[in-house]
Amino acid sequence: MLGGEVRDLAIADGRFVEVEALADPGRVIDAEGLIALPGFVDLHTHLREPGREDAETVLTGSQSAARGGYTAVHAMANTAPVADTAGVVEQVWNLGREAGWTEVVPIGAVTVGQQGEQLAELGAMARSAADVRIFSDDGHCVADPLLMRRALEYVKTFDGIIAQHSQEPRLTEGAQMNEGIVSSELGLPGWPAVAEEAIIARDILLAEHVGSRLHVCHLSTRGSVELVRWAKSRGVAVTAEVTPHHLMLTDELVRSYDPLYKVNPPLRTRADVDAVRAGLADGTIDVIGTDHAPHTAEHKCCEWTAAAMGMVGMETALAIVVEAMRDHDFGWSDVARVMSSRPAEISGLPEQGSLAPGRGANLVLVDPDAAVRVDPNEHATLGRNNPFAGFEVSTRIVHTVLYGHQVVADGSLTTAHPITEGGSWIV
């Protein structure tokens, strides 16, 4: 089923084709009762390789992505070494192609070593085989306004994007959770909403002044939604993402002191959750970005103050988005927009985000009436730090197709696939 309409999809040589043009389908998938969507595109993941393979590798992260319905994921630059040179981003790009479970698109660092002191090799990364177009120091804010301006000016020359981790460092020193009633009662140092909003406001004005593209990573507060809405009303080239966990969870969970709920930006209040849901529904927020951040058990199974910040989320993203948006006018076409077509458009991936004939055959088939209990121990990612463990959800990824090759069948991984190859069949 596509857009409420029951019809066939045909694939030949790794691309969607008109059904009538396919004389001899090599195989047929019975997708009765399933929803067909373009393969998902994630603008925000942490695949950890090189350097942190104990937490995740490009291979295991790619397998996790495929099981979550993702046919393209963007790998953040906070690896070891940092992806701040053409050599490192090409290494990540090649690892993705060798893995063959999803398209892996490297994100380059904005500054050398993510230190916020001097610009990295932005032009060299853009001209590399990885063809980098998005740059981010995610995990660190580009706090220096002059450096941020120069970065925006530089990437404008090749239609690049700066994806900002909006966190004013001086306002969040030692922060452990959202600043508010709960942090006061628990006695934990707070991360105030204004620390996010101040950077977003500054960067919107810089992007408008320069005429460049700005992407707001993991937006989390009511005020941030209003700022992005205001910027778009002015015609500023700003886009924004929200994570599944910020659509669903609140800072009340921190009362448990369970480090599963420790994340950056932190879980916010119910009013913030309601605001980001509304912003996603009305198009103010453009995309879902999982901020998939696997950690080893030693960095999560410890006391709250010592625990690392981050959550895994690619394998549960769709189900959580569906659950979070049930009270809004948010149908499957909206899911396709925020998880497929719009992120592909932002990143400039012409073969992703569409089921139209001639486009790359990247497809996910979804059971909208499943009954599933989230169990992180069954996931492909090395990370077990999923905050939705034990949740009952009603949406299940059944099949994922990458450039015409079925990498997931009935929820299980099949075989990897070189992206350049294809096959002929009908769904």
Side-chain angles (χ1 to χ4, degrees):
M1 180 180 295
L2 176 62
E5 174 189 1
V6 178
R7 66 179 177 89
D8 291 333
L9 289 170
I11 296 170
D13 298 322
R15 295 185 177 277
F16 292 115
V17 298
E18 299 287 355
V19 174
E20 298 78 13
L22 194 60
D24 181 24
R27 57 181 299 204
V28 176
I29 291 180
D30 181 2
E32 183 177 0
L34 303 183
I35 304 294
L37 299 170
F40 302 147
V41 177
D42 195 343
L43 296 182
H44 193 148
T45 69
H46 299 271
L47 302 187
R48 302 304 189 200
E49 191 175 10
R52 300 176 182 178
E53 292 84 357
D54 57 336
E56 190 79 289
T57 66
V58 172
L59 173 61
T60 59
S62 296
Q63 291 173 330
S64 179
R67 287 198 60 191
Y70 287 94
T71 53
V73 298
H74 293 67
M76 278 293 177
N78 59 336
T79 49
V82 171
D84 57 2
T85 66
V88 180
V89 296
E90 286 185 349
Q91 178 186 0
V92 174
W93 181 71
N94 282 319
L95 286 168
R97 292 178 67 81
E98 291 168 7
W101 294 98
T102 188
E103 193 167 353
V104 175
V105 183
I107 290 177
V110 178
T111 67
V112 174
Q114 295 184 301
Q115 295 299 305
E117 297 175 355
Q118 66 184 87
L119 291 182
E121 299 176 4
L122 308 182
M125 289 186 279
R127 293 189 299 271
S128 72
D131 192 28
V132 177
R133 284 299 177 270
I134 302 178
F135 300 86
S136 180
D137 276 359
D138 185 63
H140 302 276
C141 178
V142 182
D144 184 327
L146 179 59
L147 198 62
M148 184 63 176
R149 174 183 175 171
R150 297 299 182 228
L152 288 165
E153 290 173 330
Y154 197 112
V155 300
K156 181 183 177 181
T157 63
F158 49 81
D159 196 31
I161 306 170
I162 300 298
Q164 177 71 293
H165 175 107
S166 303
Q167 177 183 358
E168 167 50 57
R170 291 284 288 163
L171 291 175
T172 55
E173 292 179 0
Q176 291 289 315
M177 64 171 298
N178 178 60
E179 180 181 285
I181 293 173
V182 179
S183 67
S184 297
E185 293 179 355
L186 298 181
L188 291 174
W191 199 126
V194 70
E196 175 174 301
E197 296 156 8
I199 295 295
I200 292 174
R202 183 204 72 178
D203 289 348
I204 285 170
L205 294 175
L206 286 173
E208 182 177 41
H209 179 71
V210 172
S212 191
R213 299 172 67 193
L214 169 70
H215 181 72
V216 179
C217 293
H218 43 47
L219 177 154
S220 68
T221 78
R222 176 172 50 181
S224 297
V225 176
E226 291 302 320
L227 285 165
V228 172
R229 187 175 286 124
W230 172 79
K232 289 188 172 186
S233 74
R234 292 171 61 89
V236 182
V238 59
T239 54
E241 72 188 24
V242 65
T243 70
H245 48 270
H246 286 114
L247 284 171
M248 182 67 80
L249 308 177
T250 75
D251 61 353
E252 289 289 337
L253 290 166
V254 181
R255 294 185 187 277
S256 69
Y257 289 103
D258 187 337
L260 275 178
Y261 304 122
K262 189 175 182 181
V263 67
N264 187 7
L267 301 180
R268 303 292 190 180
T269 67
R270 173 52 57 187
D272 293 311
V273 168
D274 291 342
V276 296
R277 288 180 180 179
L280 186 66
D282 68 19
T284 299
I285 299 173
D286 298 83
V287 301
I288 297 295
T290 64
D291 195 7
H292 174 83
H295 290 291
T296 60
E298 66 181 299
H299 290 119
K300 273 297 190 180
C301 297
C302 56
E303 65 272 22
W304 177 273
T305 54
M309 294 181 174
M311 302 170 171
V312 297
M314 285 191 289
E315 291 174 66
T316 51
L318 174 66
I320 297 306
V321 170
V322 170
E323 297 298 326
M325 300 304 291
R326 285 195 183 280
D327 293 335
H328 290 268
D329 182 14
F330 199 84
W332 289 109
S333 62
D334 297 296
V335 171
R337 170 174 54 83
V338 302
M339 297 188 71
S340 304
S341 61
R342 187 68 176 124
E345 179 185 4
I346 291 169
S347 183
L349 300 178
E351 302 299 339
Q352 299 281 351
S354 174
L355 301 179
R359 300 288 286 274
N362 297 302
L363 168 71
V364 59
L365 294 166
V366 177
D367 182 351
D369 298 308
V372 181
R373 180 184 293 272
V374 175
D375 183 356
N377 293 316
E378 296 178 353
H379 292 171
T381 176
L382 296 182
R384 294 293 176 260
N385 50 308
N386 190 312
F388 300 106
F391 269 51
E392 296 280 356
V393 296
S394 59
T395 307
R396 173 176 173 261
I397 303 296
V398 181
H399 307 297
T400 304
V401 177
L402 175 67
Y403 287 101
H405 180 81
Q406 191 172 10
V407 290
V408 172
D410 195 23
S412 298
L413 296 169
T414 58
T415 57
H417 177 61
I419 288 175
T420 55
E421 297 181 7
S424 300
W425 38 302
I426 282 183
V427 177

